[in-house]
Amino acid sequence: MSEITLGIIGGGQLGSMLAIAAKKLNVKTVVFCDDIDAPAQNFCNQFVTGSYDNKEKISEFINQVDLVTYEFENIPYETLNEINKFKPVLPKPSVNRLIQHRLAEKDFVNKLNIRTTRYVSIEKKSDIDALEDFLPGILKTTTLGYDGKGQYPIKSSEDLNSLNIDFSKGYILEKLVKLKKEISIIITRFSNNKYEIYEPIENSHEDQILKYSKIPADINEKIFNQSKDWAMLIAEELKYVGTLCVEFFIDRNDNLYVNEIAPRVHNSGHLTINAFNVSQFENHVRAVCGLEQIPLKKISNAKMMNLLGDQITHYRNIQKFNDNEFFFDYLKKDIKEKRKMGHITTLV
Ligand code: ADP
Ligand code: MG
């Protein structure tokens, strides 16, 4: 029986599901979050709230734990690095620093000879004038974006005039891919060449927010294998420990591109809770805590639907679900438009 206490930075639904998985493994959890209403406090053993640069609160947090992981990538690098001096942080802070910057992330992926969308760094408005080749494109902030936040579709350089973009932040302009499909690979790396990898998951987005995920993905064998190979190469190259997600685009000519890497458990992997013997959350806890690696077995095909905003209300009122349906309510205090409030996985 383990005597480990795991610290988790971030207290949203991913933190909650990590805490639930940890409990099953007898790993205690302390969640640290800047939101006093963070839902993960309902599932962890201890909850500490404070801003991510509050030194006192951070020491209160790290004094209670053996090691630290995180549920989202936008934690200041300095914070993770400081914590790492006292308690191991996994995945390593340097991995997080690389991936939280879209430009550094894409440069890293290209160096591995893995295809990404075409991209260019934009530092000022006039940079876009000479970049017809990258249009139509999407202008994205280099840091702190999620769920399509900080993204602007650009058809021509004139579009910029109508948008009020703050160029004191760094941007990247990405050529728009004519999407046929999006998939993701979730992989948990334990140590050198030791992995558990899930099959490709097919994802559909609405307004740049994930809406549906399903397995099996409707893709050809080449893409099936290439996406897994690329995810393994990325995880190995990063010497990653824990669960990682690689998001991919497939264009209309069946070319595969890496869209982005998430150095954490991922929304598209929620269906692994019910569709596999070991979920992405349990695998993450196992890997970072140095617990046993268990070979993955698929239990069933599955589909997952995110419940955004007030869609949750209908599901909260259902008394009894079918045996193949699994409803998760994140217990968020306020319903907000487009906010991820819960999800439902159906085994099919
Ligand atoms: P986030 O960090 O918000 O998840 P992404 O870069 O993954 O940002 O973009 C969110 C979604 O927007 C993608 O999953 C995809 O549907 C769409 N998108 C983003 N970039 C492109 C692109 N270059 N071409 C086509 N679609 C894109
Ligand atoms: Mg994304």
Side-chain angles (χ1 to χ4, degrees):
M1 210 159 270
S2 91
E3 300 266 314
I4 302 169
T5 303
L6 173 65
I8 301 170
I9 306 177
Q13 62 270 21
L14 299 175
S16 301
M17 288 184 263
L18 283 169
I20 294 167
K23 191 172 266 175
K24 191 180 148 193
L25 298 168
N26 284 314
V27 169
K28 291 202 175 67
T29 49
V30 183
V31 166
F32 178 59
C33 188
D34 63 355
D35 175 8
I36 196 164
D37 295 323
Q41 63 193 284
N42 298 300
F43 304 97
C44 60
N45 297 88
Q46 294 293 332
F47 178 65
V48 180
T49 181
S51 71
Y52 293 128
D53 54 8
N54 181 331
K55 291 209 165 79
E56 243 168 70
K57 285 289 168 186
I58 291 172
S59 11
E60 184 186 326
F61 167 62
I62 56 181
N63 283 338
Q64 298 181 55
V65 304
D66 298 307
L67 77 160
V68 171
T69 191
Y70 42 90
E71 62 136 30
F72 74 116
E73 57 270 45
N74 293 327
I75 305 156
Y77 169 70
E78 293 69 30
T79 302
L80 292 183
N81 208 27
E82 209 37 48
I83 294 175
N84 199 34
K85 291 179 187 159
F86 302 95
K87 298 284 164 75
V89 174
L90 287 169
K92 286 176 298 182
S94 57
V95 165
N96 197 61
R97 179 172 54 178
L98 178 79
I99 294 178
Q100 68 179 209
H101 196 280
R102 287 190 197 274
L103 204 58
E105 176 190 28
K106 282 200 167 54
D107 287 347
F108 161 75
V109 174
N110 277 281
K111 277 201 194 112
L112 301 177
N113 283 320
I114 293 174
R115 193 185 301 115
T116 63
T117 55
R118 295 187 56 215
Y119 63 99
V120 62
S121 163
I122 302 283
E123 280 161 9
K124 53 189 186 303
K125 202 170 164 182
S126 58
D127 283 351
I128 297 194
D129 293 347
L131 296 172
E132 288 299 319
D133 266 11
F134 292 86
L135 302 176
I138 304 188
L139 191 70
K140 301 180 180 179
T141 51
T142 47
T143 56
L144 300 176
Y146 70 98
D147 287 347
K149 291 191 172 67
Q151 298 194 12
Y152 311 89
I154 309 280
K155 284 205 188 72
S156 70
S157 38
E158 284 92 71
D159 284 357
L160 277 188
N161 299 326
S162 51
L163 294 166
N164 208 357
I165 293 171
D166 166 17
F167 278 96
S168 64
K169 294 184 199 156
Y171 287 85
I172 157 173
L173 176 64
E174 266 182 56
K175 175 102 176 172
L176 197 70
V177 174
K178 290 190 177 129
L179 287 180
K180 178 174 165 185
K181 229 176 248 292
E182 294 187 62
I183 59 169
S184 56
I185 292 282
I186 291 180
I187 178 169
T188 308
R189 183 176 178 275
F190 285 75
S191 59
N192 287 357
N193 291 311
K194 288 194 145 195
Y195 304 96
E196 293 303 326
I197 184 163
Y198 298 87
E199 67 184 70
I201 300 164
E202 181 171 335
N203 302 314
S204 349
H205 293 77
E206 281 175 12
D207 299 330
Q208 284 145 310
I209 302 173
L210 182 70
K211 183 66 192 163
Y212 303 99
S213 294
K214 67 163 185 163
I215 49 167
D218 183 13
I219 51 175
N220 66 36
E221 200 184 328
K222 187 175 165 217
I223 289 178
F224 184 98
N225 292 323
Q226 194 166 50
S227 58
K228 287 175 88 169
D229 289 349
W230 283 357
M232 280 193 272
L233 183 60
I234 288 169
E236 192 59 37
E237 197 64 27
L238 291 170
K239 303 224 172 305
Y240 196 87
V241 176
T243 296
L244 168 120
C245 175
V246 183
E247 298 177 14
F248 296 90
F249 294 149
I250 303 169
D251 75 10
R252 293 181 194 161
N253 297 318
D254 275 339
N255 292 307
L256 186 67
Y257 305 76
V258 165
N259 168 29
E260 62 173 351
I261 304 167
R264 52 171 170 82
V265 288
H266 192 262
N267 191 170
S268 64
H270 291 357
L271 54 74
T272 63
I273 295 175
N274 311 102
F276 289 85
N277 61 333
V278 181
S279 73
Q280 62 162 351
F281 302 100
E282 181 176 337
N283 262 328
H284 185 75
V285 176
R286 284 181 179 277
V288 299
C289 295
L291 304 179
E292 190 192 353
Q293 178 182 350
I294 293 177
L296 264 188
K297 280 197 212 92
K298 182 165 155 177
I299 295 165
S300 172
N301 288 330
K303 55 184 191 183
M304 186 275 324
M305 176 168 72
N306 269 338
L307 303 171
L308 305 176
D310 59 16
Q311 282 178 332
I312 191 78
T313 314
H314 168 74
Y315 289 88
R316 280 182 177 159
N317 290 329
I318 292 177
Q319 301 291 324
K320 192 175 172 342
F321 286 87
N322 295 324
D323 288 347
N324 63 336
E325 289 174 332
F326 300 88
F327 168 57
F328 295 78
D329 186 339
Y330 303 152
L331 307 179
K332 289 185 183 173
K333 215 172 148 216
D334 303 314
I335 297 181
K336 288 186 199 150
E337 204 196 335
K338 294 193 181 166
R339 188 178 202 194
K340 291 173 179 166
M341 299 299 299
H343 74 265
I344 178 159
T345 297
T346 309
L347 300 183
V348 290

